[in-house]
Amino acid sequence: MSGHMIFRCRGGSLLSIAAMGLALVVMALPAVAHDYMVGKLHIDQPWTRATPGGAKVAGGYVTITNNGSESDRLVAVRADFSADPQLHEMSMNDGVMIMRPVEGGIEIPAGQTVELKPGGLHIMFMGLSEQLRKDETRKVTLVFEKAGEIDLDFPVAPIGSKEPPMMDHSGHGMTN
Ligand SMILES: [Cu+2]
């Protein structure tokens, strides 16, 4: 009986050590949030890409998961730095890949994840009013039909990136 108690006690200690380790790992992560919740939607890893000087467009990317039981729809995007943010899809036209605005917004079906990424569905920031430089961050508002609006931080990846920028900016600001 007492042996059983000791076993449980040890188990408890191990668990709390593991929990402390996890807390340390969480604390070591950079403070920049890269995932968000709005209503039943989980929004992960928004990012955009640096632009050459004078460029008038930039892409925007984000992953949206609908944990609800009803379909929702990304209907609009707003951003201070873009006169006309649009939602685009890629499609083949006479053997050539083209992009065009998505009619009626992008559906986020119940229980599914929709990824906006280079070469697929994406946000297109038209009419840029300023250059986007790597390591900067831009505020962007996504508007959903049911879940409503949410403001996100879009970190800026280097020109030509196919993937989100590294989130760890430790030391950033000390060297440049
Ligand atoms: Cu586009």
Side-chain angles (χ1 to χ4, degrees), residues 56 77-86 124-130:
K56 285 292 165 199
V77 177
R78 291 198 307 267
D80 287 347
F81 57 89
S82 165
D84 182 23
Q86 299 182 355
M124 188 113 273
F125 299 110
M126 312 287 284
L128 287 185
S129 58
E130 60 189 28

Short mmCIF file of all heavy atoms in Angstrom, two decimals, residues 56 77-86 124-130:
data_model
loop_
_atom_site.label_atom_id
_atom_site.label_comp_id
_atom_site.label_asym_id
_atom_site.label_seq_id
_atom_site.Cartn_x
_atom_site.Cartn_y
_atom_site.Cartn_z
N LYS A 56 4.33 47.92 -56.90
CA LYS A 56 2.97 48.33 -56.55
C LYS A 56 2.13 47.20 -55.97
O LYS A 56 0.98 47.40 -55.59
CB LYS A 56 2.26 48.92 -57.78
CG LYS A 56 2.75 50.31 -58.12
CD LYS A 56 2.32 51.28 -57.03
CE LYS A 56 3.05 52.60 -57.10
NZ LYS A 56 2.97 53.35 -55.83
N VAL A 77 -10.15 42.20 -47.06
CA VAL A 77 -8.89 42.46 -46.38
C VAL A 77 -8.68 43.97 -46.39
O VAL A 77 -8.98 44.63 -47.39
CB VAL A 77 -7.72 41.76 -47.10
CG1 VAL A 77 -6.39 42.09 -46.44
CG2 VAL A 77 -7.93 40.25 -47.14
N ARG A 78 -8.19 44.51 -45.28
CA ARG A 78 -7.85 45.93 -45.24
C ARG A 78 -6.42 46.09 -44.75
O ARG A 78 -5.97 45.36 -43.86
CB ARG A 78 -8.79 46.68 -44.28
CG ARG A 78 -10.22 46.78 -44.78
CD ARG A 78 -10.98 47.88 -44.03
NE ARG A 78 -10.88 47.72 -42.59
CZ ARG A 78 -11.79 47.08 -41.85
NH1 ARG A 78 -12.84 46.54 -42.41
NH2 ARG A 78 -11.63 46.99 -40.55
N ALA A 79 -5.72 47.07 -45.32
CA ALA A 79 -4.36 47.35 -44.89
C ALA A 79 -4.02 48.80 -45.22
O ALA A 79 -4.34 49.28 -46.31
CB ALA A 79 -3.38 46.41 -45.59
N ASP A 80 -3.40 49.49 -44.27
CA ASP A 80 -3.04 50.90 -44.46
C ASP A 80 -2.12 51.12 -45.67
O ASP A 80 -2.17 52.15 -46.31
CB ASP A 80 -2.29 51.43 -43.23
CG ASP A 80 -3.24 51.65 -42.06
OD1 ASP A 80 -4.47 51.62 -42.30
OD2 ASP A 80 -2.74 51.85 -40.95
N PHE A 81 -1.26 50.13 -45.91
CA PHE A 81 -0.22 50.31 -46.93
C PHE A 81 -0.67 49.92 -48.34
O PHE A 81 0.10 50.01 -49.28
CB PHE A 81 1.03 49.51 -46.54
CG PHE A 81 0.76 48.03 -46.35
CD1 PHE A 81 0.86 47.16 -47.42
CD2 PHE A 81 0.39 47.53 -45.11
CE1 PHE A 81 0.61 45.81 -47.27
CE2 PHE A 81 0.13 46.17 -44.95
CZ PHE A 81 0.24 45.32 -46.03
N SER A 82 -1.91 49.46 -48.46
CA SER A 82 -2.42 49.02 -49.77
C SER A 82 -3.76 49.68 -50.07
O SER A 82 -4.69 49.61 -49.28
CB SER A 82 -2.60 47.50 -49.76
OG SER A 82 -3.39 47.06 -50.85
N ALA A 83 -3.84 50.32 -51.26
CA ALA A 83 -5.08 51.01 -51.63
C ALA A 83 -6.20 50.02 -51.91
O ALA A 83 -7.37 50.33 -51.72
CB ALA A 83 -4.84 51.87 -52.87
N ASP A 84 -5.84 48.81 -52.33
CA ASP A 84 -6.86 47.85 -52.76
C ASP A 84 -6.40 46.41 -52.55
O ASP A 84 -5.97 45.74 -53.49
CB ASP A 84 -7.17 48.10 -54.25
CG ASP A 84 -8.25 47.18 -54.77
OD1 ASP A 84 -9.06 46.67 -53.96
OD2 ASP A 84 -8.29 46.96 -55.99
N PRO A 85 -6.49 45.91 -51.31
CA PRO A 85 -6.12 44.51 -51.10
C PRO A 85 -7.19 43.61 -51.72
O PRO A 85 -8.38 43.83 -51.52
CB PRO A 85 -6.12 44.36 -49.57
CG PRO A 85 -6.24 45.74 -49.02
CD PRO A 85 -6.92 46.57 -50.07
N GLN A 86 -6.75 42.62 -52.50
CA GLN A 86 -7.70 41.71 -53.14
C GLN A 86 -7.41 40.27 -52.74
O GLN A 86 -6.32 39.95 -52.27
CB GLN A 86 -7.56 41.83 -54.68
CG GLN A 86 -7.87 43.22 -55.19
CD GLN A 86 -7.78 43.32 -56.72
OE1 GLN A 86 -7.39 42.36 -57.39
NE2 GLN A 86 -8.12 44.48 -57.25
N MET A 124 -3.62 39.75 -52.40
CA MET A 124 -2.76 40.59 -53.22
C MET A 124 -2.95 42.03 -52.77
O MET A 124 -4.04 42.58 -52.90
CB MET A 124 -3.14 40.42 -54.69
CG MET A 124 -2.17 41.09 -55.64
SD MET A 124 -1.25 39.87 -56.63
CE MET A 124 0.11 39.49 -55.57
N PHE A 125 -1.90 42.57 -52.19
CA PHE A 125 -1.95 43.97 -51.76
C PHE A 125 -1.66 44.84 -52.98
O PHE A 125 -0.51 44.99 -53.39
CB PHE A 125 -0.93 44.23 -50.65
CG PHE A 125 -1.17 43.42 -49.40
CD1 PHE A 125 -0.30 42.40 -49.03
CD2 PHE A 125 -2.27 43.69 -48.57
CE1 PHE A 125 -0.52 41.66 -47.87
CE2 PHE A 125 -2.49 42.95 -47.41
CZ PHE A 125 -1.61 41.93 -47.06
N MET A 126 -2.72 45.38 -53.59
CA MET A 126 -2.58 46.22 -54.78
C MET A 126 -2.38 47.67 -54.33
O MET A 126 -2.84 48.08 -53.27
CB MET A 126 -3.84 46.15 -55.64
CG MET A 126 -4.36 44.74 -55.93
SD MET A 126 -3.36 43.81 -57.09
CE MET A 126 -3.88 44.59 -58.62
N GLY A 127 -1.75 48.47 -55.19
CA GLY A 127 -1.59 49.89 -54.90
C GLY A 127 -0.82 50.13 -53.62
O GLY A 127 -1.24 50.88 -52.74
N LEU A 128 0.36 49.52 -53.53
CA LEU A 128 1.20 49.72 -52.34
C LEU A 128 1.57 51.20 -52.20
O LEU A 128 1.97 51.84 -53.15
CB LEU A 128 2.50 48.93 -52.46
CG LEU A 128 2.46 47.41 -52.29
CD1 LEU A 128 3.88 46.86 -52.33
CD2 LEU A 128 1.77 47.02 -51.01
N SER A 129 1.45 51.71 -50.99
CA SER A 129 1.81 53.11 -50.74
C SER A 129 3.21 53.22 -50.16
O SER A 129 3.74 54.31 -49.99
CB SER A 129 0.80 53.74 -49.78
OG SER A 129 0.76 53.00 -48.58
N GLU A 130 3.82 52.09 -49.86
CA GLU A 130 5.18 52.12 -49.30
C GLU A 130 5.86 50.79 -49.58
O GLU A 130 5.21 49.78 -49.81
CB GLU A 130 5.13 52.39 -47.79
CG GLU A 130 4.34 51.33 -47.04
CD GLU A 130 4.10 51.71 -45.59
OE1 GLU A 130 4.04 52.90 -45.28
OE2 GLU A 130 3.99 50.79 -44.77
#
